[in-house]
Every structure is written in structure tokens, then in C-alpha cells.
């Protein structure tokens, strides 16, 4: 919820080549309680000013010599990375209103000014702009939380297992820790000594996009010993339910298998 004090503290830039118009708008905003109002009569300075101050609202006159308001609007689009140009245009030409909106302006007021209308449109635009920024901040914070959670999960996986991996839909490794290519045999590396049936079952699960939990398989090492490996994996899908790859964890359980064998 955007409160009235937040709106009155919003940053506003007035752009008009007529000093009388600038003074009129400044006085009107001051009387309404706005505390952060700037102005310029140089249209060529607007983009740099906005790049520096990131105004919540720009009151832009369209009829200016050298660089009119339409040119300023186009230039502001290069400054705003998300394409949102917080501009309320001021014009005495009725035919310019639609063109200004099509050029990216968010609203307009007509000359000569009706102060109540101007105040209302400014208030409404600032409320929408501040709400938009509030939502952007919430999304950024939530994204940061999700990234932190993902990092914690991956770190937990690394600590609790011998390796972690992610692969794309074509089977290529995209993210991993530990000797994944050697242990699982993915990412273009083939190893000798695999138990053929176990390896075929593991590859079948992956090919059919099935999850698998604590799958144990074995292979003969170069020294002739048997190595036992335990792996768990699950398929990944995007928001459109398209398969995008696999991720999983695994560990070497040879010592555990030997212990069970001695106590059996």
C-alpha cells in the first residue's frame, strides 16, 4: 500500500522552456505538499538528469525549440532499462495527446492548466509508479531469497554427498561438483568395469525421465576391486512442463557395502 507521505516525497522533474509555466507548476506542487521537485528549461539535459536522479515522474512540455518533447521521450526510452518512461506530457495541441501516448507517455494534461486536474493526474501517476517500484523491489528480494536457498541446497548436497550434478535435455553436464563424469558416466565420459545390467537400468531411468532414489550400482576398478556407488536423481521441467534435464546427488558406498558384508 502506497501512503500519501510517500507520494509527496516522490521526485518530480518539470521540463518546460517557458519560465512562467515552470514557476506555475512548481508553485502548484509546493502548495499540494510535494517536497522533492526539480525543473529544467533545457530539453537536452533531461536524459542525463533522469539517469542521475531516476525521477518518479517527469512533467514534459511537448512544444520546445531545438528538441521537442517527442524527441525527449524517445531518448528517455534508452535510459529506462525496462522501457517504462514515467512521463506526463503537457500540451496545448489536442492532436498531440494520442501521439504522445503512442510514443510512451503515461498520461497527459492540457494547457491552459486546470490545477485540480493536474494535481489529480500527478497524484495518480505517482501512486502507480511507486507501487510499480515497490513490486519490483519485492520481486528482487524474493529472487535473492530463492537464489540463496538454491545456494544453500546445493551446498548441503555437496556436504552430504560425494557429488552433485545437473545435466541438460541433451545429457550434457551444466553444473556439478565432484567426479560426476567418472562416477555416473555422463557428460561424454565412458568408463570400463560397469555392471552392464545395472548401467542399462540407470540409463533407462534417465531416458524415460523417471526419478530414482538411492540407486546402487557397481563397477570393477583397475585394481580388480569392486566399487559400489549410490545415486539419486530427478528430472527437471520448466514452467511450460518441458523437460530440461536431470539433477542428482551420489556417493561412494563401497566401505558401507563392505561393512554389511562382514556382518552378514
Amino acid at each position: 500500500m502506497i501512503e500519501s507521505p510517500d507520494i509527496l516525497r516522490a521526485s518530480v522533474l518539470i521540463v518546460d522552456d517557458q519560465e512562467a509555466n515552470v514557476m506555475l507548476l512548481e508553485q502548484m506542487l509546493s502548495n499540494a505538499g510535494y517536497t522533492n521537485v526539480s525543473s529544467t528549461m533545457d530539453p537536452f539535459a533531461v536524459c542525463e538528469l533522469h539517469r542521475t536522479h531516476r525521477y518518479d515522474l517527469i512533467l514534459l512540455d511537448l512544444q520546445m525549440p531545438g528538441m521537442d518533447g517527442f524527441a525527449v521521450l524517445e531518448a528517455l526510452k534508452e535510459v529506462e532499462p525496462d522501457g517504462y518512461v514515467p512521463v506526463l506530457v503537457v500540451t496545448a495541441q489536442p492532436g498531440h495527446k494520442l501521439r504522445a501516448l503512442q510514443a510512451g507517455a503515461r498520461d497527459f494534461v492540457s494547457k491552459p492548466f486546470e490545477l485540480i486536474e493536474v494535481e489529480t493526474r500527478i497524484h495518480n501517476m505517482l501512486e502507480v509508479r511507486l507501487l510499480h517500484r515497490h513490486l519490483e523491489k519485492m520481486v528482487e528480494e524474493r529472487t535473492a531469497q530463492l537464489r540463496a536457498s538454491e545456494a544453500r541446497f546445493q551446498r548441503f548436497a555437496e556436504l552430504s554427498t560425494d557429488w552433485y550434478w545437473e545435466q541438460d535435455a541433451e545429457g550434457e553436464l551444466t553444473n556439478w561438483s565432484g567426479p560426476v563424469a567418472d562416477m555416473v558416466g555422463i557428460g561424454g565420459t565412458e568408463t570400463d568395469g560397469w555392471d552392464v545390467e545395472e548401467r542399462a537400468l540407470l540409463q533407462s531411468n534417465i531416458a524415460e525421465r523417471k526419478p530414482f532414489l538411492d540407486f546402487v550400482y557397481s563397477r570393477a576398478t583397475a585394481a580388480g576391486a569392486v566399487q559400489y556407488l549410490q545415486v539419486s536423481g530427478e528430472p527437471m521441467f520448466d514452467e511450460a512442463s518441458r523437460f530440461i534435464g536431470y539433477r542428482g546427488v551420489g556417493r561412494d558406498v563401497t566401505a558401507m557395502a563392505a561393512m554389511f558384508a562382514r556382518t552378514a
Side-chain angles (χ1 to χ4, degrees), residues 29-90:
L29 290 171
S30 177
N31 292 342
Y34 290 90
T35 59
N36 190 10
V37 179
S38 304
S39 63
T40 180
M41 291 188 290
D42 180 7
F44 293 94
V46 174
C47 284
E48 189 57 37
L49 286 170
H50 185 51
R51 186 179 286 108
T52 302
H53 300 285
R54 292 294 174 182
Y55 297 104
D56 296 307
L57 176 63
I58 299 174
L59 293 170
L60 177 64
D61 183 35
L62 289 180
Q63 297 294 108
M64 294 183 292
M67 184 179 190
D68 66 15
F70 295 106
V72 174
L73 273 169
E74 288 301 317
L76 284 171
K77 291 178 183 178
E78 301 298 322
V79 178
E80 287 291 343
D82 61 357
Y84 185 99
V85 183
V87 170
L88 188 155
V89 298
V90 180

Side-chain angles (χ1 to χ4, degrees), residues 252-263:
D252 188 326
V253 293
T254 303
M256 187 181 300
M259 181 182 68
F260 284 137
R262 288 195 300 269
T263 58

Side-chain angles (χ1 to χ4, degrees), residues 4-262:
S4 181
D6 296 323
I7 295 175
L8 295 177
R9 286 193 298 266
S11 57
V12 179
L13 176 67
I14 300 169
V15 184
D16 198 309
D17 65 307
Q18 298 295 320
E19 185 176 6
N21 290 334
V22 172
M23 293 177 63
L24 175 62
L25 289 170
E26 285 179 336
Q27 187 62 51
M28 181 208 70
L29 290 171
S30 177
N31 292 342
Y34 290 90
T35 59
N36 190 10
V37 179
S38 304
S39 63
T40 180
M41 291 188 290
D42 180 7
F44 293 94
V46 174
C47 284
E48 189 57 37
L49 286 170
H50 185 51
R51 186 179 286 108
T52 302
H53 300 285
R54 292 294 174 182
Y55 297 104
D56 296 307
L57 176 63
I58 299 174
L59 293 170
L60 177 64
D61 183 35
L62 289 180
Q63 297 294 108
M64 294 183 292
M67 184 179 190
D68 66 15
F70 295 106
V72 174
L73 273 169
E74 288 301 317
L76 284 171
K77 291 178 183 178
E78 301 298 322
V79 178
E80 287 291 343
D82 61 357
Y84 185 99
V85 183
V87 170
L88 188 155
V89 298
V90 180
T91 179
Q93 302 293 326
H96 286 170
K97 296 175 182 178
L98 178 58
R99 181 185 169 192
L101 294 174
Q102 292 173 334
R106 299 297 161 177
D107 203 350
F108 59 85
V109 292
S110 301
K111 292 181 180 179
F113 300 129
E114 291 187 12
L115 295 185
I116 294 179
E117 178 190 4
V118 176
E119 289 180 12
T120 301
R121 290 184 182 275
I122 289 173
H123 182 280
N124 290 345
M125 268 199 67
L126 284 171
E127 185 174 34
V128 171
R129 179 59 168 165
L130 295 180
L131 179 60
H132 178 74
R133 285 189 168 175
H134 177 67
L135 292 175
E136 281 183 333
K137 184 177 180 181
M138 289 179 60
V139 170
E140 289 175 359
E141 291 175 350
R142 182 56 179 158
T143 299
Q145 292 172 357
L146 291 173
R147 286 175 177 168
S149 296
E150 183 179 355
R152 286 195 297 269
F153 167 76
Q154 182 169 341
R155 184 57 180 158
F156 174 77
E158 292 171 352
L159 292 173
S160 61
T161 62
D162 293 334
W163 67 83
Y164 167 86
W165 91 92
E166 292 182 6
Q167 62 188 100
D168 60 22
E170 286 69 45
E172 295 296 324
L173 285 174
T174 57
N175 187 21
W176 71 91
S177 65
V180 175
D182 177 54
M183 293 296 190
V184 188
I186 61 176
T189 300
E190 296 293 337
T191 57
D192 296 327
W194 293 94
D195 181 292
V196 176
E197 293 183 0
E198 293 171 348
R199 175 59 183 271
L201 181 56
L202 177 61
Q203 293 292 2
S204 175
N205 281 333
I206 294 176
E208 296 177 16
R209 302 172 186 174
K210 294 180 179 179
F212 47 91
L213 179 65
D214 295 337
F215 182 90
V216 178
Y217 58 99
S218 61
R219 66 177 182 178
T221 66
V226 178
Q227 183 180 30
Y228 292 91
L229 307 170
Q230 184 183 72
V231 64
S232 299
E234 64 176 3
M236 298 186 295
F237 301 90
D238 63 15
E239 294 179 353
S241 299
R242 291 186 295 262
F243 174 70
I244 58 174
Y246 253 90
R247 63 185 170 195
V249 295
R251 57 178 176 159
D252 188 326
V253 293
T254 303
M256 187 181 300
M259 181 182 68
F260 284 137
R262 288 195 300 269

